[in-house]
Amino acid sequence: MTQSTAFTIAPGGWLGLLGGGQLGRMFCHAAQSLGYKVAVLDPAAECPAGMVADMHIQAAYDDEAGLARLAQTCQAVTTEFENVPADSLRALAARCRVSPAADAVAIVQDRIAEKTFIASQGIPVAPHAAIRSEADLRAAPDALFPGILKVARLGYDGKGQARIGTREEALAAFAEFGGVACVLEALMPLDYEISVVIARGFDGATVVFPVARNVHRDGILAVSTAAPVLQDAAHAERQARATEAAQAIAQGLGYHGVLCVEFFVLQDGGLIVNEIAPRPHNSGHYTMDACVTSQFEQQARAMAGLPLGSSDLLAPAVMLNILGDIWYASDAAATQREPDWAAALAVPTAKLHLYGKREARRSRKMGHVTIVAATLQQARDDAARVAAALGMQAPE
């Protein structure tokens, strides 16, 4: 079966998901609210999506029997993380509709291929070099130091990255990473970071969510803010450029489904792409409470061949990531205690989303809170109250 655009999967049908994490859990809720049943394939006996799915196929992502069962059950399959084997998506595509396609996912699984693709679309990326050997590092241009060395595959949330000042530090980091393929990027004069979440149907129809402004701590997203475009011509122009670039990337990839493009805004107002995520994204979680249609509902609509919903922002929103650290009274504490959820929810604009993970660990994403308010200032003030109630660092 080819990836046909000719049929719509009616509610009551089965949608499939490779991956059982929190993004999959929120996809399950959205798809089920539309009337679909969801089958999740994930190797873990307990996983956030498997707990709420209609079927959990416990199997490795490349397990032939598990993939066959998923394809037999579902008319369409998607993924909730980018490191699922592209060959698994190709195998599924022979039997059911798959979004996004394996070729698109394969590009963004590899930072080297990803940057090459983005540049081929005429979209700026940071100066960089592909590093496959020590010789590549020794030959890298001096302009790339200081920089950041990133493993080409399987890195996330700041893992597999090292900030380096000199060529010698880069060589040491490369050895620490085991000599795997990497990308060396020059450090850029960063002002702030933004992201654009886009949904694209099999018919080519596209909707774009409002641009989110993001703050990371230790390589992990901490805060995302979404608000109507300010009456600032330069700011509005940057948002328009980011949106246009995200649309070009989705079209260039032949992408179907939900995709996020992360950007660096430079101090001189320049805009460069940091990376692409071929799935819903942490910075788009605010859409669950602050937009007409969430990123997860768009994911289900796209794979089912339904019309995409409005992405309009209903009110300003601030999203706070909840990490396992808040289960500990201090950085040195070894004993856990339950966060004061009642105090956080005493802020009436707060919406709490917990992911059902059994064990809270430091730096582990356990949930998020979205604060939706009449004004951006109120949302920020209320977000500070929520953060204080949960013992989190105040949002910037």
Side-chain angles (χ1 to χ4, degrees):
M1 177 180 177
T2 60
Q3 296 213 26
S4 171
T5 63
F7 71 93
T8 298
I9 303 168
W14 283 84
L15 304 180
L17 182 69
L18 285 173
Q22 64 262 21
L23 298 178
R25 181 185 181 95
M26 290 179 273
F27 168 80
C28 286
H29 288 150
Q32 289 164 342
S33 75
L34 290 171
Y36 293 99
K37 299 181 179 68
V38 182
V40 170
L41 187 150
D42 190 278
E46 285 190 344
C47 56
M51 293 174 188
V52 301
D54 300 276
M55 177 188 295
H56 177 198
I57 301 170
Q58 188 180 349
Y61 299 123
D62 58 358
D63 181 83
E64 292 184 7
L67 292 170
R69 186 179 176 197
L70 188 68
Q72 289 165 1
T73 303
C74 302
Q75 294 170 277
V77 175
T78 190
T79 178
E80 63 115 35
F81 74 120
E82 55 265 48
N83 291 324
V84 63
D87 284 344
S88 295
L89 296 175
R90 291 189 181 96
L92 288 166
R95 308 179 65 170
C96 63
R97 176 186 283 166
V98 173
S99 64
D103 288 349
V105 173
I107 289 172
V108 299
Q109 284 178 335
D110 186 299
R111 291 185 192 276
I112 299 171
E114 180 184 55
K115 289 190 181 300
T116 300
F117 165 77
I118 295 168
S120 75
Q121 303 300 298
I123 299 169
V125 295
H128 66 281
I131 305 298
R132 298 184 176 90
S133 66
E134 285 191 8
D136 290 336
L137 264 179
R138 295 188 189 281
D142 291 341
L144 298 183
F145 301 94
I148 302 177
L149 189 70
K150 302 178 180 180
V151 296
R153 300 178 67 87
L154 304 179
Y156 68 98
D157 285 346
K159 297 177 175 64
Q161 299 186 19
R163 182 169 293 206
I164 48 92
T166 65
R167 198 177 303 272
E168 289 69 31
E169 289 178 4
L171 287 164
F174 183 66
E176 187 175 334
F177 291 155
V180 299
C182 293
V183 170
L184 175 63
E185 295 180 13
L187 278 180
M188 304 299 289
L190 175 65
D191 190 7
Y192 57 93
E193 300 177 40
I194 60 175
S195 58
V196 178
V197 175
I198 184 170
R200 188 168 184 264
F202 279 93
D203 60 357
T206 300
V207 296
V208 183
F209 285 100
V211 174
R213 181 164 174 166
N214 306 317
V215 175
H216 289 77
R217 299 187 186 121
D218 298 323
I220 302 174
L221 182 67
V223 184
S224 284
T225 302
V229 176
L230 303 175
Q231 298 305 310
D232 176 327
H235 180 73
E237 189 269 339
R238 280 193 293 274
Q239 293 209 1
R241 275 193 287 139
T243 297
E244 183 179 344
Q247 290 174 312
I249 286 170
Q251 186 171 351
L253 286 171
Y255 195 91
H256 307 295
V258 173
L259 166 132
C260 176
V261 183
E262 296 180 80
F263 297 86
F264 292 150
V265 179
L266 305 181
Q267 291 172 3
D268 65 0
L271 196 67
I272 61 173
V273 173
N274 176 31
E275 61 184 20
I276 305 167
R279 51 172 172 76
H281 193 259
N282 200 164
S283 66
H285 288 350
Y286 76 88
T287 66
M288 298 170 67
D289 300 305
C291 291
V292 175
T293 312
S294 76
Q295 62 174 345
F296 300 103
E297 183 178 334
Q298 301 285 31
Q299 187 181 23
R301 286 179 180 231
M303 65 189 297
L306 293 173
L308 300 175
S310 167
S311 59
D312 287 353
L313 187 71
L314 299 173
V318 176
M319 189 281 301
L320 305 177
N321 249 348
I322 297 174
L323 303 183
D325 303 66
I326 70 168
W327 270 255
Y328 299 88
S330 68
D331 290 344
T335 304
Q336 293 187 1
R337 83 284 192 271
E338 191 70 15
D340 192 344
W341 306 119
L345 292 176
V347 180
T349 55
K351 300 280 287 184
L352 176 65
H353 301 267
L354 293 175
Y355 302 151
K357 297 181 180 180
R358 302 295 189 195
E359 180 186 0
R361 299 194 299 266
R362 296 184 191 276
S363 299
R364 190 184 196 192
K365 293 176 181 176
M366 300 297 294
H368 69 270
V369 183
T370 307
I371 295 87
V372 183
T375 66
L376 178 57
Q377 189 58 54
Q378 183 190 349
R380 286 173 169 162
D381 291 344
D382 288 355
R385 292 172 58 197
V386 171
L390 294 177
M392 298 165 60
Q393 183 176 334
E396 300 168 27

